Amino acid sequence: MAEVSAAAAGTVKLGDITINRLGLGTNRISDNDQSRTILRHAIARGINFIDTADKYGASEEIIGQTLAPYPKSAVIATKGGWSQDNSPRSLEDKINNSLRLLKLDRLPLWQLHRMDPSVPIEQTMEFLKTQQAAGKIQHIGLSEVSIEQIEAARQIVPIVSVQNHYNLEMRQHEDVVDYCTQNGVVFMPFFPLSSGGSSNDSKLQAVAKKYRATPIQIAIAWLLKRSPIMLPIPGTLSPEHLDENIAAAAIELSDEDFSSL
């Protein structure tokens, strides 16, 4: 397999930050040599966007220990807040802790991990606006949200990214992908490598064979073709699997094969 850099996926802009359009999810990162190896390997292979969260166990801490001081092009994004206790005090504690663990003076992208139904979205966004003004976070993103929630948030602060569950099999957020495309908001599909249910599996296998690729590579290529603002962030602890994921950036699906899937 010819070596391909993540730069082959093209670029996308998070506000005023330009990154390669294939990142690394880190919910499996923990305190071991395998995790540290994959983080360094990702950077070496052109991945300059790494996504983590305060709920991912030791992920933030290991990223900070392994990669800081970060390469100039590297963007570390994290998430905080859940569906309960998203009070300003709680969110501020999470933001401060992420800064400490990641060894950053400012978080390039901080994403609200989940909405708290007991806290009005306007109140949360107003608080995040103060954290932006204080220099703790540069850009704000949302996760697992509807178009209505995105629009409500955008009335208060600029929203540069949305992270929802989306892949070849799970298409319930097609409207959100279209909205983000139209409005220049980066869309990060989480669990991006689910390759389809039984009704789609034979088609996927056939397309993969046609391109001499794996089904997972076709799933990534499909996402990249779905929208120019799509930023897949597949996670892995295997350098070999990471290389295979990156190689998918060089696959150019035909319109016919894209539509068939």
Side-chain angles (χ1 to χ4, degrees):
M1 180 185 300
E3 186 171 290
V4 177
S5 165
T11 60
V12 69
K13 295 197 73 171
L14 285 163
D16 57 356
I17 303 173
T18 300
I19 53 173
N20 291 333
R21 206 161 62 96
L22 189 61
L24 177 70
T26 62
N27 64 327
R28 297 169 62 191
I29 293 294
S30 55
D31 189 1
N32 54 52
D33 290 341
Q34 188 179 24
S35 293
R36 292 180 176 86
T37 295
I38 201 68
L39 289 169
R40 295 189 185 102
H41 188 68
I43 294 293
R45 294 300 311 279
I47 287 179
N48 56 11
F49 180 83
I50 295 177
D51 179 76
T52 184
D54 67 349
K55 277 190 168 290
Y56 292 173
S59 179
E60 288 183 316
E61 183 175 12
I62 300 307
I63 290 169
Q65 289 177 355
T66 304
L67 298 180
Y70 299 96
K72 186 176 181 181
S73 63
V75 174
I76 312 300
T78 193
K79 299 182 289 294
W82 202 244
S83 51
Q84 63 275 335
D85 193 26
N86 274 359
S87 65
R89 181 175 180 177
S90 176
L91 293 182
E92 185 170 19
D93 285 345
K94 289 175 170 61
I95 289 168
N96 290 340
N97 198 47
S98 292
L99 284 165
R100 179 180 62 83
L101 292 175
L102 290 168
K103 300 184 179 182
L104 287 166
D105 295 324
R106 180 172 66 169
L107 299 167
L109 174 64
W110 189 89
Q111 304 154 94
L112 183 64
H113 207 159
R114 290 292 186 275
M115 295 286 182
D116 181 346
S118 69
V119 180
I121 186 173
E122 292 81 6
Q123 178 181 326
T124 300
M125 294 302 113
E126 288 286 1
F127 168 72
L128 293 177
K129 189 175 181 178
T130 70
Q131 297 296 284
Q132 229 176 11
K136 293 182 182 180
I137 56 179
Q138 184 173 355
H139 295 297
I140 297 168
L142 304 172
S143 181
E144 202 61 2
V145 287
S146 65
I147 291 175
E148 291 73 21
Q149 289 170 323
I150 300 168
E151 290 188 327
R154 292 180 74 200
Q155 293 297 312
I156 311 296
V157 293
I159 298 298
V160 303
S161 68
V162 167
Q163 189 170 151
N164 281 8
H165 189 184
Y166 184 81
N167 52 52
L168 267 173
E169 182 178 5
M170 302 298 292
R171 308 276 188 90
Q172 72 271 33
H173 291 299
E174 293 281 18
D175 61 336
V176 178
V177 175
D178 290 340
Y179 176 88
C180 288
T181 304
Q182 293 161 9
N183 290 277
V185 176
V186 172
F187 186 91
M188 289 177 244
F190 67 78
F191 298 134
L193 298 187
S194 293
S195 54
S198 57
S199 63
N200 202 38
D201 187 62
S202 60
K203 290 181 182 178
L204 181 65
Q205 294 288 344
V207 172
K209 184 177 180 180
K210 177 179 177 180
Y211 288 85
R212 297 183 180 179
T214 67
I216 284 176
Q217 287 177 318
I218 297 301
I220 294 172
W222 184 89
L223 286 169
L224 290 170
K225 189 175 177 68
R226 171 65 177 84
S227 169
I229 52 79
M230 188 75 69
L231 173 59
I233 48 172
T236 181
L237 292 178
S238 163
E240 292 76 22
H241 289 164
L242 181 64
D243 288 347
E244 288 183 2
N245 291 346
I246 293 172
I251 298 173
E252 296 185 11
L253 290 178
S254 69
D255 292 342
E256 180 183 0
D257 290 328
F258 173 81
S259 297
S260 75
L261 293 171

